[in-house]
Amino acid sequence: MDRKKDQLQTIRDYVFELFHNDATGHDYYHMERVARMAKTIAEKEGADSFICETAAWLHDIGDKKLFTNPEQARNEMDDILTKIEIDRNSIELIYEAIKDVSFSKGKTPATLAGEIVQDADRLDAIGAIGISRVFAYGGTKEQLIYHDENPENTSIQHFYDKLLKLKNLMNTPTAIKIAQERHAFMEAYLDQFFREWKD
Ligand code: NI
């Protein structure tokens, strides 16, 4: 029990080191929220909460968008998990849970733990936090907030390309429920945005 707590603390410190300076919406607090949400969903859905929480902490490590050398980042992660003595079987379950998380891959994860980590990550992309993150990401990519005649590649367009679709892509009943409220908030936000845009 305590051992798992220590392992999670080491992982938390490691993730802080990697992501605390990120301004693209993939900062340490994104990882923390996803980890907390994955744990909550796992407890409600009867999955292994340690595997889900750990995988959630690590889910963005080795992402091509965020790492100049993804393979090196993944090797380093493997070294750390091995060093803190998470058994090989659990490490494989964690990797399995991480591997199909990404929206762009368009995959449904093969395991319940994978579904839960994907749900937790997607929940962090919608609602008030999701709205904040989309503009932070857009800013770092030098994207416009919105453009009347040419909305492609603007942050507002990203709601229609991705964020508004996520509600129907949740895997677990627990996440579906949480997604509904966050989705409704985004719709209200967009209504207000376009009202003010035209004022
Ligand atoms: Ni993420």
Side-chain angles (χ1 to χ4, degrees):
M1 191 66 195
D2 266 349
R3 183 192 165 91
K4 283 187 174 169
K5 226 175 137 188
D6 289 347
Q7 288 168 333
L8 279 167
Q9 187 56 49
T10 305
I11 289 166
R12 182 189 281 265
D13 294 344
Y14 166 55
V15 168
F16 183 81
E17 214 175 283
L18 285 178
F19 294 103
H20 72 283
N21 273 330
D22 176 281
T24 71
H26 300 84
D27 52 72
Y28 169 77
Y29 293 103
H30 165 64
M31 311 310 158
E32 186 179 59
R33 287 188 303 268
V34 176
R36 197 167 52 230
M37 181 61 80
K39 187 173 179 231
T40 303
I41 299 173
E43 282 163 0
K44 294 212 165 120
E45 300 289 333
D48 185 323
S49 70
F50 178 75
I51 298 291
C52 292
E53 186 180 354
T54 306
W57 272 112
L58 304 169
H59 77 279
D60 275 329
I61 294 176
D63 186 316
K64 284 194 229 64
K65 288 198 305 287
L66 306 172
F67 288 83
T68 41
N69 192 340
E71 196 173 321
Q72 190 194 322
R74 280 192 292 265
N75 288 338
E76 198 184 285
M77 165 169 71
D78 196 80
D79 289 346
I80 285 172
L81 297 179
T82 308
K83 202 173 126 209
I84 61 175
E85 295 181 348
I86 295 182
D87 64 275
R88 201 66 225 174
N89 183 44
S90 297
I91 292 179
E92 292 307 324
L93 291 172
I94 289 162
Y95 292 164
E96 180 74 34
I98 295 172
K99 103 177 144 64
D100 295 323
V101 164
S102 160
F103 173 80
S104 55
K105 285 190 195 156
K107 287 194 180 160
T108 303
T111 62
L112 177 60
E115 290 185 329
I116 287 170
V117 176
Q118 189 181 66
D119 280 355
D121 190 39
R122 287 177 172 179
L123 284 170
D124 208 58
I126 62 175
I129 297 281
I131 293 169
S132 311
R133 292 181 65 219
V134 75
F135 292 111
Y137 185 77
T140 60
K141 298 284 161 204
E142 297 185 13
Q143 284 176 352
L144 295 179
I145 292 173
Y146 185 57
H147 189 293
D148 259 339
E149 284 118 59
N150 192 12
E152 290 94 66
N153 298 320
T154 65
S155 291
I156 287 291
Q157 184 59 34
H158 193 63
F159 285 84
Y160 300 96
D161 292 342
K162 176 177 169 185
L163 307 191
L164 293 168
K165 293 178 180 168
L166 293 178
K167 172 176 71 91
N168 292 332
L169 294 171
M170 295 293 161
N171 303 297
T172 63
T174 306
I176 290 168
K177 224 172 127 196
I178 300 167
Q180 276 160 355
E181 191 204 341
R182 295 187 181 190
H183 183 89
F185 184 81
M186 286 195 298
E187 286 189 320
Y189 168 79
L190 288 168
D191 283 350
Q192 177 79 10
F193 180 92
F194 285 112
R195 220 176 299 138
E196 293 181 15
W197 189 265
K198 290 183 199 107
D199 274 349

